[in-house]
């Protein structure tokens, strides 16, 4: 019989890896709370129409990458490929957005049927940050400063901030028209993917990595020439705020992001440590999205961070983080000692909730139990033999220090561990 393996591109996170994930998640939570963001928990499955209306039907995500299925009622549902659309839907549905300021964050798995490679998986993990009700460049700057503070807390260096402005939705539409004219005039130089995007999502062509198209794309009309005055002023003030805060940014006129709902500010934090999948955080403004989904017009900005990619960078810098070893390993010989050991371990946990105790279960000789205790990485082996049990004592063997074994009354064990910790 063949063994069943995980779905390709959907990976297990093993016990030796989870301490690094937990460290990253806890640091993220602390930084987000320092900026007054509140957590929202969103469903993994949404109606397919949500993503078609927000991401754009002529995008790789909707056309080729979504995990979509019909449920028993015949409704088309999709495993969420991103979180912004979900947070907007939740905000409208639960009355969180109209005439309000909200700072929200969420975390969890996202799903896209892509070709798995380093830093790009079919089930990947994100933290998303969304801010609603604030139209000015100050919130754009604050969100970028938040991410910069996170990198500092994590000890990550070498991340580069790239910035661009897509202008207002009207300005973007005018530019799109001129871009399509230019690309049609150079149709023979377009690859198949670009021809498919030409009338649906032409700005995405600017982000093509096809070497044969780079010279032609470098001569395409510049979006900056079509920006409306308000967007130019917004972008200039954002850059001024970042400069005053000491955050360096690189202007990237080809940074357009792959989702249809962005306008004005777009940004990415990029690392050179992940090969082709170098973006670890990306986002921008989406001032028209709330109204597009049926809510009242609401300015908004958000970004998402790829936890898989951040963990990969942390691993490279810090090495693998081992799972926490227990503080104590309870060794018990005989049935009476086994029963007593379970109860004694509970009493210690009551006295020291943060102390970790691994109780030997499943029997075994005294010698084998001591081997397990040493292998566990515990500081102490707490030994209950027949003599200790009969006399109301417990032997404490130091496993990581060169100290003699000591014998204590069972009632004194909790105090001993408190003083020794």
């Amino acid at each position: 019989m063949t063994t069943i393996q995980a779905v390709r591109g959907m990976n297990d996170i093993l016990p030796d890896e989870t301490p690094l994930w937990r460290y990253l998640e806890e640091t993220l939570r602390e930084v987000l709370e320092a900026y007054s963001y509140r957590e929202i928990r969103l469903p993994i499955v949404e109606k397919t129409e949500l993503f078609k209306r927000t991401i754009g039907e002529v995008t790789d995500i909707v056309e080729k990458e979504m995990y979509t299925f019909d449920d028993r009622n015949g409704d088309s549902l999709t495993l969420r490929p991103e979180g912004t659309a979900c947070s907007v839907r939740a905000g409208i549905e639960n009355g969180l957005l109209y005439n309000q300021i909200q700072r929200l964050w969420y975390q969890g798995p996202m799903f896209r049927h892509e070709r798995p490679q380093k830093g790009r998986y079919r089930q990947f993990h994100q933290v998303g940050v969304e801010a609603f009700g604030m139209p000015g460049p100050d919130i754009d700057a604050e969100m970028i400063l938040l991410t910069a503070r996170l990198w500092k807390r994590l000890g990550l260096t070498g991340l580069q901030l790239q910035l661009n402005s897509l202008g207002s939705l009207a300005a973007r539409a005018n530019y799109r028209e001129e871009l399509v004219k230019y690309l049609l005039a150079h149709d023979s130089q377009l690859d198949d993917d670009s021809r498919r995007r030409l009338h649906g999502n032409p700005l995405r062509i600017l982000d093509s990595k096809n070497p044969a198209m780079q010279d032609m794309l470098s001569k395409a009309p510049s979006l900056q020439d079509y920006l409306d005055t308000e967007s130019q002023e917004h972008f200039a003030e954002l850059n001024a705020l970042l400069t005053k805060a000491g955050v360096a940014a690189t202007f990237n006129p080809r940074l357009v992001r792959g989702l249809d709902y962005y306008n004005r500010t777009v940004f990415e934090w990029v690392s050179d440590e992940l090969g082709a999948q170098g973006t670890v955080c990306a986002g921008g403004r989406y001032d028209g999205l709330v109204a597009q989904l049926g809510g009242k017009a609401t300015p908004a900005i958000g970004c998402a961070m790829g936890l898989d990619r951040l963990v990969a960078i942390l691993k490279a810098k810090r090495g693998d983080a081992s799972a926490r070893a227990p503080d104590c390993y309870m060794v018990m010989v005989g049935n009476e000692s086994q029963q007593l050991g379970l109860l004694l371990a509970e009493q210690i946990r009551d006295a020291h909730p943060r102390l970790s105790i691994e109780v030997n279960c499943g029997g075994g000789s005294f010698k084998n139990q001591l081997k397990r205790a040493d292998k566990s990485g515990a500081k102490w082996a707490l030994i209950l033999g027949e003599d200790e049990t009969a006399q109301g004592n417990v032997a404490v063997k130091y496993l990581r220090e060169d100290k003699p074994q000591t014998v204590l009354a069972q009632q004194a064990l909790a105090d001993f561990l408190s003083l020794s910790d």
Side-chain angles (χ1 to χ4, degrees):
M1 181 182 295
T2 58
T3 58
I4 298 175
Q5 297 184 324
V7 176
R8 184 168 180 248
M10 300 187 181
N11 304 318
D12 302 306
I13 300 173
L14 302 177
D16 282 346
E17 300 173 298
T18 53
L20 196 54
W21 281 81
R22 193 162 57 244
Y23 161 72
L24 173 58
E25 291 162 351
E26 289 171 354
T27 304
L28 271 161
R29 181 177 290 105
E30 290 171 2
V31 171
L32 288 163
E33 289 179 353
Y35 285 79
S36 198
Y37 280 80
R38 300 187 300 159
E39 185 181 9
I40 183 171
R41 301 196 177 189
L42 303 164
I44 288 177
V45 177
E46 297 273 4
K47 292 181 179 178
T48 303
E49 184 64 19
L50 173 65
F51 303 113
K52 287 185 176 181
R53 286 173 57 183
T54 56
I55 295 173
E57 294 200 45
V58 189
T59 58
D60 286 348
I61 295 174
V62 171
E63 287 188 329
K64 299 187 294 185
E65 297 172 0
M66 293 201 313
Y67 282 89
T68 297
F69 59 95
D70 290 342
D71 71 0
R72 292 184 180 182
N73 295 326
D75 295 323
S76 181
L77 305 178
T78 294
L79 292 175
R80 62 187 184 194
E82 60 100 35
T84 297
C86 309
S87 65
V88 172
R89 189 270 312 148
I92 296 171
E93 185 173 341
N94 294 284
L96 300 178
L97 304 183
Y98 178 58
N99 203 27
Q100 299 177 64
I101 287 177
Q102 293 284 0
R103 287 177 169 90
L104 305 175
W105 73 275
Y106 51 85
Q107 67 174 330
M110 310 291 168
F111 303 86
R112 297 184 191 177
H113 193 278
E114 301 182 284
R115 183 172 63 86
Q117 52 190 296
K118 182 181 179 181
R120 185 181 289 272
Y121 307 114
R122 292 178 176 174
Q123 176 177 310
F124 56 100
H125 300 80
Q126 281 188 345
V127 164
V129 185
E130 317 287 353
F132 299 95
M134 293 164 277
D138 49 357
I139 187 62
D140 303 22
E142 184 187 80
M143 187 166 288
I144 292 171
L145 291 173
L146 182 158
T147 55
R149 182 173 297 277
L150 175 63
W151 314 145
K152 186 176 180 180
R153 282 284 305 274
L154 294 172
L156 300 183
T157 57
L159 293 179
Q160 182 189 58
L161 174 64
Q162 298 185 358
L163 271 182
N164 192 18
S165 176
L166 302 182
S168 67
L169 295 175
R172 183 174 174 178
N174 291 335
Y175 171 68
R176 171 177 166 153
E177 184 178 339
E178 293 302 313
L179 179 62
V180 169
K181 288 179 183 178
Y182 175 83
L183 294 173
L184 283 172
H186 296 80
D187 180 74
S188 62
Q189 299 179 52
L190 298 178
D191 56 24
D192 291 341
D193 203 36
S194 296
R195 288 193 184 94
R196 182 180 57 81
R197 288 172 168 163
L198 186 57
H199 294 288
N201 194 8
L203 269 69
R204 198 72 175 91
I205 299 173
L206 296 173
D207 201 31
S208 171
K209 303 300 187 291
N210 186 340
M213 293 171 50
Q214 296 309 304
D215 182 62
M216 180 269 293
L217 291 176
S218 69
K219 299 171 184 175
S222 171
L223 176 58
Q224 303 308 304
D225 294 335
Y226 293 81
L227 289 188
D228 54 290
T229 302
E230 286 187 9
S231 293
Q232 291 176 359
E233 293 173 350
H234 185 107
F235 195 56
E237 189 171 344
L238 169 61
N239 278 278
L241 287 168
L242 293 176
T243 299
K244 288 179 181 178
V247 176
T250 300
F251 173 61
N252 180 359
R254 289 200 191 179
L255 177 59
V256 295
R257 306 294 301 133
L259 309 179
D260 278 357
Y261 50 65
Y262 285 113
N263 69 295
R264 288 195 176 172
T265 306
V266 289
F267 67 91
E268 290 186 357
W269 285 96
V270 180
S271 168
D272 59 5
E273 299 186 29
L274 293 168
Q277 308 305 323
T279 301
V280 297
C281 174
R285 295 201 71 91
Y286 50 92
D287 295 329
L289 188 57
V290 176
Q292 185 180 330
L293 283 177
K296 299 291 185 181
T298 303
I301 183 172
C303 69
M305 307 170 206
L307 299 189
D308 307 82
R309 297 179 186 182
L310 287 172
V311 165
I313 296 174
L314 286 171
K315 262 189 182 180
K317 291 185 177 295
R318 297 160 53 105
D320 291 334
S322 299
R324 177 190 171 187
D327 297 296
C328 314
Y329 191 100
M330 186 75 73
V331 174
M332 300 157 292
V333 180
N335 290 335
E336 191 175 348
S337 298
Q338 182 76 38
Q339 295 171 13
L340 176 63
L342 287 171
L343 297 176
L344 185 58
E346 290 300 305
Q347 293 170 13
I348 297 171
R349 292 184 184 110
D350 287 339
H352 301 289
R354 294 185 179 277
L355 205 67
S356 174
I357 307 171
E358 183 172 342
V359 175
N360 184 84
C361 294
S365 67
F366 176 69
K367 182 178 180 181
N368 284 340
Q369 289 189 49
L370 278 182
K371 285 182 179 179
R372 292 176 196 165
D374 187 53
K375 188 177 180 180
S376 75
K379 299 176 186 177
W380 306 288
L382 308 180
I383 301 170
L384 285 174
E386 293 179 349
D387 290 344
E388 286 84 5
T389 298
Q391 297 166 12
N393 293 329
V394 59
V396 179
K397 180 177 178 63
Y398 291 86
L399 299 175
R400 305 288 165 247
E401 298 177 83
D402 186 18
K403 292 183 178 181
Q405 181 171 306
T406 186
V407 177
L408 302 168
Q410 291 168 14
Q411 294 90 336
L413 182 58
D415 289 340
F416 167 82
L417 293 174
S418 178
L419 292 172
S420 302
D421 192 9

